[in-house]
């Protein structure tokens, strides 16, 4: 059945079922549109984890972030051979940690953008102990919150 909209325009009709479908689509798409925070930042070391990117040619390769234009347009350089790659997406990457004693950058949370030295890694809990350079305090972070600083 056709129903008239509350507007004054006589040509403004809709079908009840169509209106319900539109409402359902709108509410489900708004959930999907939550923005993921950009954690990628220049001068950190990350690993390409996408097997689809360039047919898997760079799978598990470590790269240095050169520039972050947007979440889907990141410029990187391969650490192995200095080959530049463009338009890498954040979801194709994961953080890479240095050896104990190496420099790290905090990518998320209260201490975002601070740097420190990696004191200890715990692979069972996926956590690392870091001494921050700014106040010499020692904090524990998840592996996902840290990356090797280059």
């Amino acid at each position: 059945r056709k129903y008239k909209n509350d507007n004054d325009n006589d040509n403004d009709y809709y079908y009840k079922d169509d209106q319900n479908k539109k409402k359902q689509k709108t509410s489900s798409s708004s959930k999907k549109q939550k923005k993921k925070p950009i954690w990628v930042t220049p001068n950190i070391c990350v690993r390409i984890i996408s097997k689809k990117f360039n047919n898997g040619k760079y799978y598990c390769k470590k790269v240095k972030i050169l520039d972050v234009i947007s979440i889907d347009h990141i410029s990187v350089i391969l650490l192995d051979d200095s080959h530049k790659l463009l338009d890498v997406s954040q979801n194709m990457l994961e953080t890479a940690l240095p050896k104990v004693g190496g420099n790290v950058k905090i990518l998320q949370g209260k201490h975002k953008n601070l740097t420190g030295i990696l004191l200890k890694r715990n692979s069972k809990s996926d956590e690392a102990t870091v001494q921050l350079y700014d106040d010499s305090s020692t904090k524990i972070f998840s592996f996902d919150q840290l990356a090797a600083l280059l």
Side-chain angles (χ1 to χ4, degrees):
R1 290 182 57 188
K2 279 188 181 179
Y3 292 89
K4 189 172 183 347
N5 244 350
D6 292 336
N7 299 343
D8 293 334
N9 189 353
D10 288 333
N11 296 329
D12 226 31
Y13 287 95
Y14 67 93
Y15 291 97
K16 189 173 183 179
D17 289 337
D18 290 345
Q19 191 71 8
N20 289 340
K21 287 178 186 175
K22 285 180 186 175
K23 285 182 183 176
Q24 289 173 353
K25 285 181 183 177
T26 307
S27 64
S28 66
S29 66
S30 64
K31 289 178 186 175
K32 291 178 184 176
Q33 291 179 353
K34 284 186 180 179
K35 290 185 177 181
K36 291 183 180 180
I38 296 178
W39 54 265
V40 178
T41 181
N43 300 318
I44 61 169
C45 180
V46 295
R47 184 176 289 111
I48 296 177
I49 58 167
S50 173
K51 291 181 180 178
K52 293 180 182 177
F53 180 69
N54 279 1
N55 297 321
K57 182 177 179 181
Y58 302 109
Y59 179 68
C60 282
K61 297 283 186 185
K62 286 186 180 180
V63 295
K64 176 184 177 180
I65 303 296
L66 294 177
D67 191 21
V68 180
I69 298 162
S70 73
I71 199 165
D72 292 320
H73 299 287
I74 301 167
S75 301
V76 299
I77 187 165
L78 283 170
L79 294 179
D80 296 352
D81 62 6
S82 299
H83 184 75
K84 289 183 183 178
L85 304 173
L86 302 174
D87 292 337
V88 179
S89 180
Q90 177 176 276
N91 64 359
M92 297 176 187
L93 306 171
E94 74 175 4
T95 61
L97 295 179
K99 294 179 181 178
V100 171
N103 293 322
V104 294
K105 183 170 187 176
I106 291 85
L107 305 174
Q108 301 172 16
K110 180 181 173 183
H111 303 287
K112 183 176 180 174
N113 292 325
L114 294 180
T115 58
I117 187 166
L118 182 65
L119 299 177
K120 187 170 76 171
R121 296 166 69 148
N122 185 341
S123 297
K124 290 181 183 176
S125 63
D126 285 341
E127 292 179 332
T129 305
V130 175
Q131 183 177 13
L132 300 176
Y133 287 130
D134 72 332
D135 63 1
S136 297
S137 64
T138 302
K139 308 281 184 196
I140 297 175
F141 298 96
S142 73
F143 285 175
D144 290 337
Q145 291 179 288
L146 303 171
L149 183 62
L150 301 174

